[in-house]
C-alpha cells in the first residue's frame, strides 16, 4: 500500500510534491534511509542543518608566551595553523576583546606562530569566547592556557585571576545540544609552576573541525593527552559479513532465515554505525521472527541460533567522561512518532509562496502552492500548530529483547577496547498484540547506570596559580566536574536498531 501511494506522487522538486500530506509514506523504500537518519539525529540540535562555518579562537595574552618554550607546543600550533588557515575564520582574544584576525593566510600564520606576538596583550576573554562558541551552531577550536583574568572590583589596579568554575554552564549547554568537546592537552612551565596548553574542539555531529585538527597532528608523534566530554558520542564499530549484511543471525550456509531481509520488497539493510543506528527490514511478522529463531535453537541444528544481533563493539577505553556501570536494552514502538516526524519534516520543506491581497497584506497564494502548503499553513503563511513536531507518546514493549550481559561483561574484561554488545530474546518473550501491531520497532542500547569519571581531572585540568602563592587554580577541573554532573546520560540510548516488519 505504501509503495503504491509513493508511486502515485508526482515529485516536482526537493521537498515538493503534488500529493496531500496524508499521502506521504514514511516507509517509502526510496526515502526511509534518509528519514531514519533525520529521525535518529533529531535530538542533536545542530544535525538537521549543520553550519559549515568553522572558527578558531586564540588566547593572545602574555602568559601564552611561555607555551612556545616547551616541548612540541610551537610545532603543534604551527601544524594546526598550516592545516586550518584556509578552512576557518580566525579570532584573537586579548585586552578583554574578541577581534577577528585580518590579513592573508601568510600574515595570519606568521602572527599566530610568532611567540613574540604574545607579549603585547593581557586579559584574554576566555569566558566570553565560550559564550560566543556555545551560543552558535558553528564548530570551533579554542587554543588557550585557560587562565582567565578579570578586572578587580572597582576596575582599577591589577587584574585578578579567576578561580570560579566559569565554564560550567557553557560546557553543559554545548553537550545538551548533542554535541561533543574534545581536549588535546600539553604541558609547559611558567615561573616554575607546571601548567597546561589546551586545544579545545567544540564539535557538532558533523565533526569536521575535529578531523582537521587530528590531521594536523597526524604522523608527528606529538606528546599530548586527550579527554572527551560527550553524552551520546561513543566509539562504536561493527564486524559484519559485508556492507549489505548486518549483525543478525546467518545459518551455516550464510543465509538469513530469521529476519529474511532479502525478500523485503525493495527495502535494504542499512548500517549507519557512524550515526549510531542500523535498519533491519524484515519480510516476517514478529511471531514468525521468533518462531524462526526457536527452530534454529533445536539440537542437531548445524549452526544454532544464539543472538538476534551481535558483533557490535564499543571501545570502553575511549569513554573518558563517564564510567558506564551498566547497559540495558529498551524496546519501543516508534511507528506513530516516526510517521508524524517524517510528515512534519516534509511540511517544513513545503513553505508556502506568498502574495498580496487587496489591502496590501501578505497572504498564501492559493493558485501557486501545492496541497501540502495549503493544508498545513495558515492564511498568513504561519505553520499550523498541529504540524509543529512534538514527540508522540512512545509505547515501550516489555519482555521482548534483552542484552546478553555475560557477553558484555566477559568481553569487557578480556579486551575493553572491543567490548561486544549482543541482543537476545527476553527469557519471558512476550509476543503480544502491541508488538504485532508495531511496524517500526526501535531497539535501544541504553546506559542504565553511569557515574561521572573524576579520575585525572585535577591532573589534567588544574595548575598552581602564579598570582596567589600556594593556591591551585582548578576552575577548569571544577567546570568539567559540574558539567558532567549536570548532563549525566543515564537512560540515554547510545545505539539503536530499527526493525521494520511488513
Amino acid at each position: 500500500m505504501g509503495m503504491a501511494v509513493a508511486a502515485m506522487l508526482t515529485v516536482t522538486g526537493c521537498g515538493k510534491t503534488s500529493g496531500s500530506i496524508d499521502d506521504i509514506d514514511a516507509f517509502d523504500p526510496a526515502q526511509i534511509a534518509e528519514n531514519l537518519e533525520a529521525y535518529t539525529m533529531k535530538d542533536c540540535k545542530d544535525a538537521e542543518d549543520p553550519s559549515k562555518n568553522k572558527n578558531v579562537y586564540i588566547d593572545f595574552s602574555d602568559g601564552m608566551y611561555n607555551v612556545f618554550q616547551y616541548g612540541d607546543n610551537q610545532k603543534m600550533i604551527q601544524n594546526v595553523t598550516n592545516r586550518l588557515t584556509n578552512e576557518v575564520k580566525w579570532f584573537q582574544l586579548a585586552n578583554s576583546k574578541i577581534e577577528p584576525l585580518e590579513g592573508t593566510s601568510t600574515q595570519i600564520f606568521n602572527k599566530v606562530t610568532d611567540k613574540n606576538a604574545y607579549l603585547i596583550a593581557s586579559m584574554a576573554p576566555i569566558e566570553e569566547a565560550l559564550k560566543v562558541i556555545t551560543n552558535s551552531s558553528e564548530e570551533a577550536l579554542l587554543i588557550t592556557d585557560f587562565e582567565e583574568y578579570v578586572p578587580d572590583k572597582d576596575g582599577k589596579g591589577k587584574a585578578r585571576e579567576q578561580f570560579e568554575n566559569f565554564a560550567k554552564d557553557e560546557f553543559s549547554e554545548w553537550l545538551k545540544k548533542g554535541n561533543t568537546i574534545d581536549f588535546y592537552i600539553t604541558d609547559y612551565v611558567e615561573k616554575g609552576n607546571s601548567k597546561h596548553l589546551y586545544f579545545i574542539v567544540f564539535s557538532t555531529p558533523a565533526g569536521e573541525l575535529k578531523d582537521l585538527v587530528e590531521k594536523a597532528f597526524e604522523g608527528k608523534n606529538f606528546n599530548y593527552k586527550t579527554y572527551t566530554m560527550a553524552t551520546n558520542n561513543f566509539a562504536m564499530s561493527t564486524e559484519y559479513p559485508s556492507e549489505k549484511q548486518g549483525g543478525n543471525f546467518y545459518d551455516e550456509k550464510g543465509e538469513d532465515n530469521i529476519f529474511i531481509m532479502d525478500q523485503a520488497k525493495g527495502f535494504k539493510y542499512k548500517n549507519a554505525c557512524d550515526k549510531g543506528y542500523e535498519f533491519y527490514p524484515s519480510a516476517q511478522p514478529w511471531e514468525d521472527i521468533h518462531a524462526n529463531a526457536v527452530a534454529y535453537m533445536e539440537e542437531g541444528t548445524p549452526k544454532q541460533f544464539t543472538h538476534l544481533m551481535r558483533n557490535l563493539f564499543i571501545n570502553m577505553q575511549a569513554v573518558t567522561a563517564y564510567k558506564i556501570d551498566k547497559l540495558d536494552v529498551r524496546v519501543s514502538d516508534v511507528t506513530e512518532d516516526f510517521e508524524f516526524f517524517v510528515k512534519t519534516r516534509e511540511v517544513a520543506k513545503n513553505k508556502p509562496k506568498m502574495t498580496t491581497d487587496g489591502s496590501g497584506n501578505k497572504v498564501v497564494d492559493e493558485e501557486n502552492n501545492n496541497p501540502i502548503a495549503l493544508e498545513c499553513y495558515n492564511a498568513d503563511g504561519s505553520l499550523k500548530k498541529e504540524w509543529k513536531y512534538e514527540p508522540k507518546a512512545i509505547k515501550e514493549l516489555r519482555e521482548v529483547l534483552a542484552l546478553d550481559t555475560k557477553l558484555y561483561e566477559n568481553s569487557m574484561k578480556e579486551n575493553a577496547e572491543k567490548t561486544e554488545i549482543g541482543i537476545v530474546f527476553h527469557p519471558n518473550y512476550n509476543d503480544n498484540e502491541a508488538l504485532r501491531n508495531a511496524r517500526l520497532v526501535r531497539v535501544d542500547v541504553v546506559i542504565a547506570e553511569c557515574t561521572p569519571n573524576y579520575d585525572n581531572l585535577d591532573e589534567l585540568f588544574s595548575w598552581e596559580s602564579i598570582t596567589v602563592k600556594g593556591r591551585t587554580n582548578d576552575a577548569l577541573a571544577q567546570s568539567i566536574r559540574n558539567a558532567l554532573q549536570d548532563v549525566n546520560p543515564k537512560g540515554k540510548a547510545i545505539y539503536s536498531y530499527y526493525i521494520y516488519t511488513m
Side-chain angles (χ1 to χ4, degrees):
M1 177 63 181
M3 293 180 68
V5 170
M8 292 166 56
L9 300 179
T10 303
V11 177
T12 59
C14 181
K16 295 184 179 180
T17 175
S18 61
S20 164
I21 188 62
D22 291 332
D23 295 331
I24 299 298
D25 180 14
F27 298 103
D28 177 0
Q31 297 294 322
I32 194 162
E34 178 187 341
N35 290 340
L36 279 173
E37 180 169 330
Y39 185 69
T40 302
M41 304 298 288
K42 68 182 185 303
D43 296 327
C44 296
K45 295 183 180 179
D46 298 324
E48 181 73 8
D49 186 23
S51 171
K52 293 298 181 182
N53 294 330
K54 305 174 187 68
N55 305 301
V56 177
Y57 298 83
I58 302 182
D59 181 342
F60 266 87
S61 62
D62 51 8
M64 287 284 287
Y65 175 83
N66 296 279
V67 166
F68 288 84
Q69 319 301 318
Y70 291 89
D72 298 320
N73 294 342
Q74 184 170 16
K75 291 181 180 178
M76 290 177 71
I77 292 174
Q78 288 175 344
N79 276 39
V80 166
T81 310
N82 263 324
R83 189 65 185 86
L84 299 183
T85 298
N86 295 314
E87 304 273 358
V88 303
K89 294 180 181 178
W90 297 81
F91 297 88
Q92 64 178 6
L93 311 180
N95 298 322
S96 301
K97 296 179 182 178
I98 302 173
E99 296 180 317
L101 275 174
E102 306 288 358
T104 65
S105 59
T106 299
Q107 289 171 329
I108 290 174
F109 175 85
N110 289 340
K111 180 168 184 178
V112 170
T113 58
D114 178 9
K115 62 184 179 182
N116 293 315
Y118 296 81
L119 285 173
I120 58 177
S122 61
M123 294 180 64
I126 299 169
E127 183 176 6
E128 186 60 31
L130 290 171
K131 290 178 180 178
V132 171
I133 292 169
T134 57
N135 284 335
S136 79
S137 298
E138 299 178 356
E139 297 193 329
L141 168 64
L142 173 61
I143 304 175
T144 179
D145 61 2
F146 224 88
E147 268 196 332
E148 174 93 346
Y149 284 86
V150 294
D152 60 9
K153 293 181 181 179
D154 60 5
K156 300 177 181 179
K158 191 174 182 180
R160 57 185 175 84
E161 186 175 353
Q162 180 68 279
F163 292 95
E164 184 203 9
N165 59 345
F166 62 87
K168 175 184 75 77
D169 291 343
E170 283 66 44
F171 287 164
S172 296
E173 183 63 28
W174 189 254
L175 296 176
K176 285 176 183 177
K177 293 180 181 180
N179 297 329
T180 305
I181 305 172
D182 287 281
F183 295 83
Y184 301 82
I185 310 156
T186 70
D187 301 323
Y188 71 100
V189 176
E190 182 177 5
K191 297 182 179 179
N193 290 347
S194 297
K195 296 177 64 177
H196 309 288
L197 170 66
Y198 301 98
F199 296 81
I200 310 172
V201 182
F202 293 81
S203 297
T204 67
E208 294 178 354
L209 185 55
K210 179 182 176 181
D211 288 343
L212 292 173
V213 171
E214 293 196 335
K215 285 177 181 175
F217 296 156
E218 195 174 89
K220 294 297 182 179
N221 295 317
F222 291 139
N223 184 22
Y224 61 87
K225 297 175 183 177
T226 61
Y227 185 91
T228 298
M229 296 179 71
T231 60
N232 59 356
N233 184 13
F234 298 94
M236 313 293 292
S237 62
T238 60
E239 290 185 3
Y240 296 159
S242 72
E243 289 184 4
K244 297 181 180 180
Q245 294 176 293
N248 53 306
F249 177 82
Y250 293 90
D251 66 15
E252 76 283 0
K253 296 179 182 179
E255 295 181 357
D256 164 27
N257 286 320
I258 305 297
F259 279 122
I260 312 185
M261 291 193 295
D262 58 347
Q263 298 178 24
K265 300 182 181 179
F267 290 91
K268 296 180 181 179
Y269 161 77
K270 172 73 173 179
N271 185 340
C273 180
D274 60 327
K275 303 289 185 182
Y277 77 95
E278 296 174 48
F279 173 55
Y280 289 81
S282 174
Q284 305 293 298
W286 271 98
E287 56 264 39
D288 289 350
I289 293 173
H290 184 251
N292 295 340
V294 170
Y296 272 90
M297 295 180 195
E298 295 179 1
E299 281 192 33
T301 304
K303 182 181 177 182
Q304 286 194 320
F305 174 89
T306 57
H307 296 79
L308 191 66
M309 268 88 70
R310 65 175 300 179
N311 292 316
L312 170 69
F313 302 94
I314 178 172
N315 182 353
M316 297 299 289
Q317 294 281 50
V319 183
T320 56
Y322 293 94
K323 294 179 180 179
I324 298 179
D325 303 309
K326 183 181 178 182
L327 291 180
D328 204 349
V329 166
R330 181 174 61 222
V331 184
S332 307
D333 176 6
V334 296
T335 309
E336 185 180 4
D337 188 51
F338 174 70
E339 289 182 309
F340 182 59
F341 171 80
V342 171
K343 288 185 177 183
T344 58
R345 191 165 177 260
E346 194 65 29
V347 168
K349 295 176 182 178
N350 285 273
K351 293 180 180 179
K353 298 175 183 177
M354 306 299 289
T355 188
T356 304
D357 65 12
S359 301
N361 301 313
K362 285 190 175 182
V363 295
V364 171
D365 188 344
E366 296 284 345
E367 299 295 326
N368 293 297
N369 276 296
N370 63 39
I372 292 179
L374 296 176
E375 289 174 46
C376 304
Y377 289 84
N378 296 308
D380 63 357
S382 62
L383 180 69
K384 291 182 179 179
K385 63 180 181 179
E386 62 264 31
W387 290 111
K388 178 183 178 183
Y389 175 71
E390 294 290 346
K392 300 287 186 181
I394 302 297
K395 304 168 187 173
E396 187 169 352
L397 303 169
R398 300 185 182 278
E399 298 187 339
V400 177
L401 301 175
L403 179 76
D404 184 344
T405 54
K406 289 185 178 179
L407 175 66
Y408 171 72
E409 291 170 358
N410 290 339
S411 61
M412 183 162 55
K413 289 177 183 176
E414 183 178 334
N415 182 4
E417 292 184 1
K418 199 174 181 181
T419 301
E420 186 172 1
I421 293 172
I423 308 297
V424 297
F425 282 102
H426 195 281
N428 302 324
Y429 175 74
N430 184 4
D431 180 20
N432 56 37
E433 185 178 357
L435 177 62
R436 291 194 295 271
N437 290 336
R439 295 180 68 193
L440 185 65
V441 169
R442 177 169 173 164
V443 182
D444 290 324
V445 180
V446 300
I447 299 174
E449 298 290 342
C450 77
T451 52
N453 182 9
Y454 302 129
D455 297 346
N456 302 322
L457 281 188
D458 291 333
E459 175 189 344
L460 296 175
F461 301 110
S462 64
W463 53 90
E464 293 302 309
S465 170
I466 61 172
T467 64
V468 182
K469 188 176 181 180
R471 182 166 183 180
T472 297
N473 189 326
D474 62 351
L476 179 53
Q478 291 294 340
S479 294
I480 294 173
R481 181 189 301 271
N482 296 154
L484 294 181
Q485 294 167 349
D486 289 348
V487 295
N488 191 310
K490 179 180 178 180
K492 281 195 173 183
I494 63 172
Y495 202 82
S496 299
Y497 301 94
Y498 292 99
I499 301 173
Y500 174 70
T501 52
M502 303 296 169

